Amino acid sequence: MTKLLIIKCGETFSSIKEQFGDFEDMIIKGTGISHDDVVIAPVYKDATSLPSLNKIGAIIITGSHAMATDYEEWSVQLIRWLQDIREHKIPTLGICYGHQILAEAFGGQVSHHPKGIEIGTTSIQLTDAGKEHPLFSILPHTFFGHVTHYQSVITLPKQATILAQNDFEQHQAFMIDQHIFGVQFHPEFTAPIIHAYIDEQAERLQEDGFTITALHETVIEQDYGRALLEMFVRSAGLPITNTSVGCTLFQAETKNMR
């Protein structure tokens, strides 16, 4: 039986962890996979924690409060490792920081977004390639995603295909080699989690000119991200043991919408 490898690139805020768990907990809940079918590699603590790939069926790289452009040693080692395993063609999904690291690994460039932070719930549009891809085509052509990031993929790798974008972020999702995916948004987040992120960063956000109440008003509860996570795991052939009713209903609804 193959397993899901979650490459953990950092920890969430302690108050959020107490309420909702850490990044890997959010991902496990979102995918519907059993904890017994997951291997967690906390590379931000120990870059040597990455396991053998013999029993790994899919990989998800978490977000982080680190900055990709700091090129911390563990992050540089992760980039090299991703380059080395590309030929194995293991389905791989990078979330936020993971998305940025994947871009860096294959020739893209990450930097601070010229407009600053994108945070809250935002409208995202599929590109024509996204509409046609089996993983992303389960989503409506315009869907909502939870976001919180200061840095972005400024330049995509030459071989990458854009799958989703919006006015703020032109590279909300991309694909390389049909099995490597990056998403700048957080499919593992729920509305309460993104509300908590806004509150945790309220002081800095106000200094940046944001109105906290207005940011909270952007937040919309939705199952789009979880549907995407569940489909990613399913498409990799991993067992789903805790299928979300919301995701199941959502998939049926989106089929009716098209």
Side-chain angles (χ1 to χ4, degrees), residues 58-61 79 81-95 98-107 133 135-136 156-157 159-163 173-183 232 235:
I59 299 169
I60 295 180
I61 310 168
I79 286 174
W81 184 82
L82 290 167
Q83 293 168 339
D84 290 342
I85 70 160
R86 181 177 180 179
E87 63 185 30
H88 292 269
K89 300 188 182 304
I90 298 173
T92 300
L93 174 66
I95 298 172
H99 159 90
Q100 295 165 13
I101 288 298
L102 283 171
E104 287 273 355
F106 300 114
H133 193 277
L135 176 59
F136 282 78
L156 278 179
Q159 67 272 42
T161 300
I162 302 174
L163 300 177
F174 70 84
M175 171 183 66
I176 297 175
D177 295 349
Q178 298 293 319
H179 72 281
I180 298 172
F181 305 93
V183 291
F232 173 75
S235 65

Side-chain angles (χ1 to χ4, degrees), residues 137-165:
S137 64
I138 66 164
L139 303 173
H141 295 170
T142 297
F143 64 97
F144 293 106
H146 301 310
V147 292
T148 173
H149 65 105
Y150 279 98
Q151 293 200 319
S152 296
V153 176
I154 303 301
T155 305
L156 278 179
K158 291 181 180 179
Q159 67 272 42
T161 300
I162 302 174
L163 300 177
Q165 57 192 190

Side-chain angles (χ1 to χ4, degrees), residues 46-48 50 72-82:
D46 179 10
T48 66
L50 290 163
E72 296 182 47
E73 181 57 30
W74 64 265
S75 187
V76 172
Q77 290 186 43
L78 175 57
I79 286 174
R80 292 173 184 156
W81 184 82
L82 290 167

